[in-house]
Amino acid sequence: MTPITTPSHTNILARLSRVARESGTVALWREALPWLCQVCGAQGGSVVLERPPTRFRHGVIPLATGLLIDAWEDTVLTASHWVPSADQSLSTPTPLEPMTTAGIPMLQILLEDGPVIQGGLSLVYGSLAEMNGPLADTASALAGTVGQLAALSAELQSSQRRLTQLNLLQEVGQSIASSLDLADVLRETTNLAASMLDAEGAALLLIDEDQQELIFAVPVGEKEHELRQQRMNINEGVAGWTLRRGQAVIVNDVRNDPRFTKSVDQATGFLTRSILCVPLQANARIVGVLEVVNKRNDQPFTQEDQEWVSALATQAAVAVANAQLFAREQQRVSELTALNQVAATLSQSLDLDKMLEAALTNVLTVVRADAGSIALLDSSGKNLDLRTVYGFDRNLQMLPRKVAVGSGLQGSVAASGEMVVVHDLAADARVGEESKEILARTGLRGAAILPVRSRGRVRGVLSVMVRRTRHFSAEELALLTSISQQIGVAVDNANLYTDLREERDRIIAVHEKVRHELVRDLHDGTAQVLSAMIMNMEVVKRTAASRPELLPRELAYLDDLTRQANREIRQLLFQLRPVILETQGLAAAIAVYAEQLRRHESYALYLELSTGDFKLTSQASGTVFAIVQEALNNIKKHAHASTVWIQVWVERDYLHVTVTDDGTGINMAAINAQYDQHGSFGLLNIRERARLLDAKLEFVSPRPDAGNGTQIQLCVPMDRLLHDKDEG
């Protein structure tokens, strides 16, 4: 029977439509139930709704009838979750049909939207006659009309809610695009998740990859202060499950879910009842999870909630990825700045200790470490000497200043040349008990120990320590490796500078000695002869005036003095730079020099020359000649030799020179030990000149196949001696 629509009914339906639009489904049915009872002649009525789960009644309902209504409404709510199976169509009717209980004046009407049960309506009458009266026939039609309004209302509210959510997602996206402040963006996102789902709390958890933990980075809600920076293992809880699987999950009853862990609740005093958890995933990389807990009024989380939070999490993941990328770039800039600072520090000073101290300070700053040290290998290469430390305070004086290579952490790194990272120094067997006591007083727990290298060789050890248990990131270790290599190069440069300065001082001393010898030779030789000539000139003058017959004898003596002075000056000039080197070359110069020595020295000298037909550069000829000359001077002064042999020959692109004597020999170990004390200038002179030619130089004493004497062996690459092709 079609219900009669009167103007008053039309007005009521219009009002119900307005209530549905403005206040939703529950308000609509609360408004419609008294009207339906009146129009259908019922004395009371009851409505049950599936979403949101709601029950309310109107009018007079006997107790027994109310109990029957309760049972039927429970059945309706159970049936409301029914969906057609895979072999059924969407039009398949629900398995629950409306029914009228025999003998009880009550109508029960299912409220349906297609195959979906929205709820149920019960109308209670005073008698069976009233229930079967004409007004009762309109009940189903009117209930259907109100149900349609309710369905339209629910659809409208859903659309409005989705529109609101889309607008919020757009706002979040705009916020992400306009801000690189990770904390602000994430807090706004997490607050939004909790408020939109009307939940008691929410939290955004990020991965600490070093510690393999999830950190409550942004909690909101009642216990947010207690939750902030709480940690949990990535293999624990619903959040850990979501992280590992990369799947969203709804747990509406955590007490019956084995994935739930109580550790966080126990630590904070919070009581978790339900959880919605979704992964934060950007570019196929999961960076954390977004978790919403305890929907208010014990409402369950729905699939629609999950979809919306997943969309929100996608936006948040982009924010996290962008901010982390920005942070990594900032860290990279900081690392490059630190490298530049270390490089500048290492290049500003050649004072090794000052340089190491400044470099260590910069290293600890950039990796946020608490203490560190640099130890360098000593001259023997068997021990590490502690050169600079930072962060040990008064315990500094207790640290061992010398560590044997292969002993302890630092010694093992020096021996192996491999980096070592320790997370718990107190538990590491390579740390000595004395050192463990010092570390306990300083509170240092973790360390990275790296070899200081240069040109493929270990020069020392760089140690960086922290007071908390933490993992050094791969980026930090790469940075430390780069810095340790820079330190190694700087150590080599500083040592080279020190060596060059000491060599300079030695060379200056040698030159000073040569100058003094030249002055002495001029004073004791040529100057004395010239003085005798001057005195004899006076004698000649007096003889010519008083006894002319003696004049020839005096002139002959003066002639001898003049020739002697000339010979000594020429010999001195030859020793300084023989002109024959420029005109006839190295072989001729050595031959002339050997002939001079035969005339003036007491030892026998034998010369063998076989240099071939080639022309050496004047500089190379002068250097080789100076080495031969210095070797013969040493023999004259120290060897007490009776025989000297000089051999010069070319073989396989090398010029070979040997100078051998049968004298007392030399103690090379003693000479090398005194080398740093400016001793043995002759040998130093030979070594420096050989180095200029990239030559191989050896001192053999006693000489080969004999029990006495010394042999100096020089082997020079010919490409360091010959004229360039364009020199003609």
Side-chain angles (χ1 to χ4, degrees), residues 428-448:
D428 197 292
R430 292 167 292 186
V431 181
E433 293 303 321
E434 181 181 353
S435 297
K436 286 182 179 180
E437 292 179 6
I438 296 173
L439 293 171
R441 287 194 291 272
T442 59
L444 297 170
R445 300 188 64 185

PDB file of all heavy atoms in Angstrom, residues 428-448:
ATOM      1  N   ASP A 428      86.448  -5.399  24.761  1.00  0.00           N
ATOM      2  CA  ASP A 428      87.373  -5.821  23.711  1.00  0.00           C
ATOM      3  C   ASP A 428      88.654  -6.367  24.335  1.00  0.00           C
ATOM      4  O   ASP A 428      89.313  -5.694  25.127  1.00  0.00           O
ATOM      5  CB  ASP A 428      87.700  -4.656  22.779  1.00  0.00           C
ATOM      6  CG  ASP A 428      88.310  -5.126  21.474  1.00  0.00           C
ATOM      7  OD1 ASP A 428      89.452  -5.629  21.499  1.00  0.00           O
ATOM      8  OD2 ASP A 428      87.648  -4.993  20.435  1.00  0.00           O
ATOM      9  N   ALA A 429      89.010  -7.591  23.960  1.00  0.00           N
ATOM     10  CA  ALA A 429      90.167  -8.260  24.560  1.00  0.00           C
ATOM     11  C   ALA A 429      91.485  -7.585  24.180  1.00  0.00           C
ATOM     12  O   ALA A 429      92.497  -7.770  24.862  1.00  0.00           O
ATOM     13  CB  ALA A 429      90.191  -9.733  24.125  1.00  0.00           C
ATOM     14  N   ARG A 430      91.498  -6.792  23.100  1.00  0.00           N
ATOM     15  CA  ARG A 430      92.741  -6.144  22.679  1.00  0.00           C
ATOM     16  C   ARG A 430      93.085  -4.923  23.518  1.00  0.00           C
ATOM     17  O   ARG A 430      94.187  -4.386  23.407  1.00  0.00           O
ATOM     18  CB  ARG A 430      92.625  -5.748  21.206  1.00  0.00           C
ATOM     19  CG  ARG A 430      92.574  -6.934  20.256  1.00  0.00           C
ATOM     20  CD  ARG A 430      92.148  -6.516  18.876  1.00  0.00           C
ATOM     21  NE  ARG A 430      90.762  -6.076  18.841  1.00  0.00           N
ATOM     22  CZ  ARG A 430      90.088  -5.765  17.745  1.00  0.00           C
ATOM     23  NH1 ARG A 430      90.697  -5.867  16.574  1.00  0.00           N
ATOM     24  NH2 ARG A 430      88.837  -5.376  17.790  1.00  0.00           N
ATOM     25  N   VAL A 431      92.129  -4.471  24.346  1.00  0.00           N
ATOM     26  CA  VAL A 431      92.369  -3.310  25.212  1.00  0.00           C
ATOM     27  C   VAL A 431      92.914  -3.823  26.546  1.00  0.00           C
ATOM     28  O   VAL A 431      92.290  -4.657  27.212  1.00  0.00           O
ATOM     29  CB  VAL A 431      91.069  -2.511  25.442  1.00  0.00           C
ATOM     30  CG1 VAL A 431      91.339  -1.303  26.325  1.00  0.00           C
ATOM     31  CG2 VAL A 431      90.484  -2.076  24.100  1.00  0.00           C
ATOM     32  N   GLY A 432      94.087  -3.319  26.952  1.00  0.00           N
ATOM     33  CA  GLY A 432      94.703  -3.744  28.196  1.00  0.00           C
ATOM     34  C   GLY A 432      93.914  -3.290  29.407  1.00  0.00           C
ATOM     35  O   GLY A 432      93.124  -2.339  29.350  1.00  0.00           O
ATOM     36  N   GLU A 433      94.131  -3.955  30.541  1.00  0.00           N
ATOM     37  CA  GLU A 433      93.387  -3.643  31.763  1.00  0.00           C
ATOM     38  C   GLU A 433      93.652  -2.222  32.226  1.00  0.00           C
ATOM     39  O   GLU A 433      92.745  -1.520  32.674  1.00  0.00           O
ATOM     40  CB  GLU A 433      93.758  -4.643  32.866  1.00  0.00           C
ATOM     41  CG  GLU A 433      93.292  -6.070  32.591  1.00  0.00           C
ATOM     42  CD  GLU A 433      91.779  -6.140  32.386  1.00  0.00           C
ATOM     43  OE1 GLU A 433      91.052  -5.416  33.105  1.00  0.00           O
ATOM     44  OE2 GLU A 433      91.342  -6.902  31.508  1.00  0.00           O
ATOM     45  N   GLU A 434      94.931  -1.774  32.117  1.00  0.00           N
ATOM     46  CA  GLU A 434      95.262  -0.408  32.532  1.00  0.00           C
ATOM     47  C   GLU A 434      94.514   0.606  31.679  1.00  0.00           C
ATOM     48  O   GLU A 434      93.958   1.586  32.185  1.00  0.00           O
ATOM     49  CB  GLU A 434      96.767  -0.191  32.428  1.00  0.00           C
ATOM     50  CG  GLU A 434      97.209   1.201  32.867  1.00  0.00           C
ATOM     51  CD  GLU A 434      98.710   1.390  32.739  1.00  0.00           C
ATOM     52  OE1 GLU A 434      99.424   0.399  32.435  1.00  0.00           O
ATOM     53  OE2 GLU A 434      99.162   2.519  32.950  1.00  0.00           O
ATOM     54  N   SER A 435      94.485   0.352  30.375  1.00  0.00           N
ATOM     55  CA  SER A 435      93.772   1.257  29.475  1.00  0.00           C
ATOM     56  C   SER A 435      92.273   1.220  29.738  1.00  0.00           C
ATOM     57  O   SER A 435      91.591   2.246  29.641  1.00  0.00           O
ATOM     58  CB  SER A 435      94.059   0.883  28.017  1.00  0.00           C
ATOM     59  OG  SER A 435      95.422   1.045  27.710  1.00  0.00           O
ATOM     60  N   LYS A 436      91.727   0.037  30.068  1.00  0.00           N
ATOM     61  CA  LYS A 436      90.298  -0.062  30.368  1.00  0.00           C
ATOM     62  C   LYS A 436      89.932   0.785  31.588  1.00  0.00           C
ATOM     63  O   LYS A 436      88.860   1.402  31.637  1.00  0.00           O
ATOM     64  CB  LYS A 436      89.904  -1.516  30.594  1.00  0.00           C
ATOM     65  CG  LYS A 436      89.832  -2.348  29.319  1.00  0.00           C
ATOM     66  CD  LYS A 436      89.382  -3.776  29.603  1.00  0.00           C
ATOM     67  CE  LYS A 436      89.299  -4.579  28.315  1.00  0.00           C
ATOM     68  NZ  LYS A 436      88.870  -5.974  28.539  1.00  0.00           N
ATOM     69  N   GLU A 437      90.818   0.815  32.586  1.00  0.00           N
ATOM     70  CA  GLU A 437      90.561   1.637  33.767  1.00  0.00           C
ATOM     71  C   GLU A 437      90.519   3.114  33.396  1.00  0.00           C
ATOM     72  O   GLU A 437      89.656   3.862  33.867  1.00  0.00           O
ATOM     73  CB  GLU A 437      91.641   1.378  34.818  1.00  0.00           C
ATOM     74  CG  GLU A 437      91.587  -0.019  35.435  1.00  0.00           C
ATOM     75  CD  GLU A 437      92.698  -0.233  36.442  1.00  0.00           C
ATOM     76  OE1 GLU A 437      93.429   0.745  36.725  1.00  0.00           O
ATOM     77  OE2 GLU A 437      92.839  -1.354  36.945  1.00  0.00           O
ATOM     78  N   ILE A 438      91.445   3.527  32.546  1.00  0.00           N
ATOM     79  CA  ILE A 438      91.464   4.932  32.105  1.00  0.00           C
ATOM     80  C   ILE A 438      90.202   5.244  31.309  1.00  0.00           C
ATOM     81  O   ILE A 438      89.557   6.279  31.506  1.00  0.00           O
ATOM     82  CB  ILE A 438      92.723   5.203  31.261  1.00  0.00           C
ATOM     83  CG1 ILE A 438      93.970   5.009  32.126  1.00  0.00           C
ATOM     84  CG2 ILE A 438      92.682   6.617  30.685  1.00  0.00           C
ATOM     85  CD1 ILE A 438      95.262   5.097  31.341  1.00  0.00           C
ATOM     86  N   LEU A 439      89.817   4.340  30.408  1.00  0.00           N
ATOM     87  CA  LEU A 439      88.618   4.549  29.593  1.00  0.00           C
ATOM     88  C   LEU A 439      87.373   4.601  30.471  1.00  0.00           C
ATOM     89  O   LEU A 439      86.442   5.359  30.203  1.00  0.00           O
ATOM     90  CB  LEU A 439      88.498   3.438  28.557  1.00  0.00           C
ATOM     91  CG  LEU A 439      89.579   3.433  27.469  1.00  0.00           C
ATOM     92  CD1 LEU A 439      89.489   2.164  26.640  1.00  0.00           C
ATOM     93  CD2 LEU A 439      89.450   4.663  26.586  1.00  0.00           C
ATOM     94  N   ALA A 440      87.335   3.782  31.533  1.00  0.00           N
ATOM     95  CA  ALA A 440      86.182   3.796  32.438  1.00  0.00           C
ATOM     96  C   ALA A 440      86.060   5.149  33.127  1.00  0.00           C
ATOM     97  O   ALA A 440      84.959   5.666  33.315  1.00  0.00           O
ATOM     98  CB  ALA A 440      86.320   2.679  33.468  1.00  0.00           C
ATOM     99  N   ARG A 441      87.206   5.733  33.487  1.00  0.00           N
ATOM    100  CA  ARG A 441      87.161   7.044  34.146  1.00  0.00           C
ATOM    101  C   ARG A 441      86.728   8.144  33.186  1.00  0.00           C
ATOM    102  O   ARG A 441      86.093   9.112  33.580  1.00  0.00           O
ATOM    103  CB  ARG A 441      88.530   7.369  34.741  1.00  0.00           C
ATOM    104  CG  ARG A 441      88.859   6.546  35.989  1.00  0.00           C
ATOM    105  CD  ARG A 441      90.035   7.140  36.722  1.00  0.00           C
ATOM    106  NE  ARG A 441      91.280   6.994  35.997  1.00  0.00           N
ATOM    107  CZ  ARG A 441      92.086   5.935  36.101  1.00  0.00           C
ATOM    108  NH1 ARG A 441      91.750   4.932  36.891  1.00  0.00           N
ATOM    109  NH2 ARG A 441      93.212   5.877  35.426  1.00  0.00           N
ATOM    110  N   THR A 442      87.095   8.022  31.921  1.00  0.00           N
ATOM    111  CA  THR A 442      86.713   9.038  30.939  1.00  0.00           C
ATOM    112  C   THR A 442      85.318   8.806  30.380  1.00  0.00           C
ATOM    113  O   THR A 442      84.750   9.697  29.754  1.00  0.00           O
ATOM    114  CB  THR A 442      87.717   9.051  29.771  1.00  0.00           C
ATOM    115  OG1 THR A 442      87.728   7.754  29.161  1.00  0.00           O
ATOM    116  CG2 THR A 442      89.116   9.385  30.255  1.00  0.00           C
ATOM    117  N   GLY A 443      84.765   7.592  30.569  1.00  0.00           N
ATOM    118  CA  GLY A 443      83.425   7.297  30.053  1.00  0.00           C
ATOM    119  C   GLY A 443      83.405   6.956  28.581  1.00  0.00           C
ATOM    120  O   GLY A 443      82.335   6.882  27.969  1.00  0.00           O
ATOM    121  N   LEU A 444      84.563   6.729  27.961  1.00  0.00           N
ATOM    122  CA  LEU A 444      84.613   6.428  26.533  1.00  0.00           C
ATOM    123  C   LEU A 444      84.219   4.975  26.297  1.00  0.00           C
ATOM    124  O   LEU A 444      84.683   4.071  26.992  1.00  0.00           O
ATOM    125  CB  LEU A 444      86.016   6.694  25.994  1.00  0.00           C
ATOM    126  CG  LEU A 444      86.458   8.157  26.082  1.00  0.00           C
ATOM    127  CD1 LEU A 444      87.929   8.288  25.762  1.00  0.00           C
ATOM    128  CD2 LEU A 444      85.631   9.022  25.154  1.00  0.00           C
ATOM    129  N   ARG A 445      83.377   4.750  25.274  1.00  0.00           N
ATOM    130  CA  ARG A 445      82.847   3.403  25.043  1.00  0.00           C
ATOM    131  C   ARG A 445      83.130   2.888  23.638  1.00  0.00           C
ATOM    132  O   ARG A 445      83.488   1.741  23.462  1.00  0.00           O
ATOM    133  CB  ARG A 445      81.339   3.391  25.296  1.00  0.00           C
ATOM    134  CG  ARG A 445      80.958   3.779  26.716  1.00  0.00           C
ATOM    135  CD  ARG A 445      79.482   3.573  26.964  1.00  0.00           C
ATOM    136  NE  ARG A 445      79.113   2.168  26.866  1.00  0.00           N
ATOM    137  CZ  ARG A 445      77.867   1.718  26.948  1.00  0.00           C
ATOM    138  NH1 ARG A 445      76.872   2.569  27.108  1.00  0.00           N
ATOM    139  NH2 ARG A 445      77.606   0.421  26.866  1.00  0.00           N
ATOM    140  N   GLY A 446      82.916   3.714  22.619  1.00  0.00           N
ATOM    141  CA  GLY A 446      83.114   3.265  21.237  1.00  0.00           C
ATOM    142  C   GLY A 446      84.314   3.943  20.609  1.00  0.00           C
ATOM    143  O   GLY A 446      84.738   5.018  21.039  1.00  0.00           O
ATOM    144  N   ALA A 447      84.879   3.320  19.570  1.00  0.00           N
ATOM    145  CA  ALA A 447      86.069   3.886  18.937  1.00  0.00           C
ATOM    146  C   ALA A 447      86.186   3.418  17.495  1.00  0.00           C
ATOM    147  O   ALA A 447      85.704   2.344  17.124  1.00  0.00           O
ATOM    148  CB  ALA A 447      87.326   3.508  19.709  1.00  0.00           C
ATOM    149  N   ALA A 448      86.817   4.278  16.695  1.00  0.00           N
ATOM    150  CA  ALA A 448      87.250   3.912  15.343  1.00  0.00           C
ATOM    151  C   ALA A 448      88.740   4.206  15.272  1.00  0.00           C
ATOM    152  O   ALA A 448      89.168   5.323  15.557  1.00  0.00           O
ATOM    153  CB  ALA A 448      86.492   4.712  14.283  1.00  0.00           C
TER     154      ALA A 448
END
